[in-house]
């Protein structure tokens, strides 16, 4: 339950939670860092830390969903396959590399596609925490499209950028599924 809780939480709430926890002045994380004897870190206020911090937040949010998908994939592998490998004398590494990974390939392909496309869905985290700053260091494509459309009122340009982003993500997903043979299972 607690592993899935971050995924069930709204993106804006998760971003605000981490924004407060990582605040330079009053954030609990910086209080702990200072207590340990290290200098405070401007997680959202420095060009070096803005994007990695947002990546960590989004990774934290989606870790439970990814774990749930992998768990479901592992549950789908029949025990008889592992029993046969054990009878044949396979060690744990051989069992993992020759049975578990190949049989998990469709689930791993799905997780990879969802993770890559999900990594492009960081608009809300950026909008709540840094608004693309400092000095455009965290201005991701989605936030740039938003700025073009609703701040600068260049709807045509923003629409073109959105279509280009859609095509890029579609091509990346297609290539991932094709090379990982995500629609084939070794169980058949």
């Amino acid at each position: 339950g607690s592993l899935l809780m971050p995924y069930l939480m709204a993106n804006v709430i998760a971003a605000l939670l981490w924004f407060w926890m990582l605040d330079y002045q009053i954030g609990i994380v910086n209080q702990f860092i200072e207590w340990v004897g290290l200098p405070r870190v401007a997680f959202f206020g420095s060009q070096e830390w803005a994007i990695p911090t947002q990546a960590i937040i989004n990774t934290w949010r989606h870790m439970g969903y990814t774990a749930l998908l992998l768990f479901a994939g592992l549950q789908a592998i029949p025990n008889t396959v592992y029993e046969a490998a054990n009878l044949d004398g396979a060690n744990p590494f051989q069992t993992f590399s020759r049975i578990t990974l190949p049989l998990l390939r469709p689930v791993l392909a799905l997780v990879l596609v969802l993770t890559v496309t999900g990594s492009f869905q960081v608009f809300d985290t950026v909008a709540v925490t840094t608004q693309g700053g400092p000095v455009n260091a965290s201005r991701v494509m989605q936030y740039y499209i938003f700025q073009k459309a609703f701040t600068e009122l260049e709807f045509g340009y923003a629409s073109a950028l959105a279509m280009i982003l859609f095509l890029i993500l579609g091509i990346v997903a297609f290539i991932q599924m094709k090379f990982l043979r995500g629609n084939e299972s070794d169980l058949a």
Side-chain angles (χ1 to χ4, degrees):
S2 62
L3 189 62
L4 274 178
M5 190 58 86
Y7 183 73
L8 299 175
M9 189 182 306
N11 290 348
V12 172
I13 301 298
L16 281 173
L17 174 73
W18 281 100
F19 188 64
W20 291 331
M21 286 176 34
L22 298 173
D23 184 77
Y24 185 78
Q25 294 296 325
I26 60 170
I28 192 167
V29 173
N30 268 316
Q31 297 290 331
F32 179 75
I33 289 172
E34 192 174 60
W35 179 73
V36 172
L38 299 171
R40 290 176 178 260
V41 178
F43 289 103
F44 295 108
S46 70
Q47 293 180 0
E48 300 84 30
W49 281 98
I51 288 289
T53 301
Q54 290 171 356
I56 290 168
I57 291 170
N58 284 314
T59 301
W60 170 79
R61 278 206 66 248
H62 293 93
M63 192 174 7
Y65 183 66
T66 303
L68 185 64
L69 288 174
L70 291 175
F71 180 71
L74 288 171
Q75 293 295 315
I77 300 174
N79 280 337
T80 55
V81 178
Y82 291 114
E83 291 170 4
N86 192 24
L87 287 175
D88 288 343
N91 64 37
F93 177 75
Q94 290 172 326
T95 303
F96 179 74
S97 64
R98 295 185 182 169
I99 294 174
T100 305
L101 278 181
L103 294 180
L104 267 182
R105 188 181 58 244
V107 174
L108 289 173
L110 174 69
V111 165
L112 183 63
V113 169
L114 290 176
T115 303
V116 170
T117 56
S119 67
F120 281 87
Q121 298 172 357
V122 294
F123 170 79
D124 37 18
T125 307
V126 173
V128 169
T129 57
T130 62
Q131 292 86 38
V135 195
N136 293 331
S138 65
R139 186 171 69 172
V140 293
M141 185 71 163
Q142 297 80 359
Y143 196 74
Y144 181 66
I145 292 169
F146 171 79
Q147 284 180 320
K148 284 293 178 189
F150 299 109
T151 304
E152 301 172 21
L153 301 177
E154 294 185 27
F155 295 108
Y157 185 67
S159 295
L161 288 174
M163 288 306 297
I164 291 170
L165 181 61
F166 173 74
L167 288 173
I168 290 171
L169 287 176
I171 291 168
V172 167
F174 176 77
I175 290 171
Q176 287 175 329
M177 291 301 283
K178 192 73 172 165
F179 281 119
L180 291 174
R181 297 186 342 244
N183 57 344
E184 301 173 17
S185 174
D186 290 347
L187 278 174

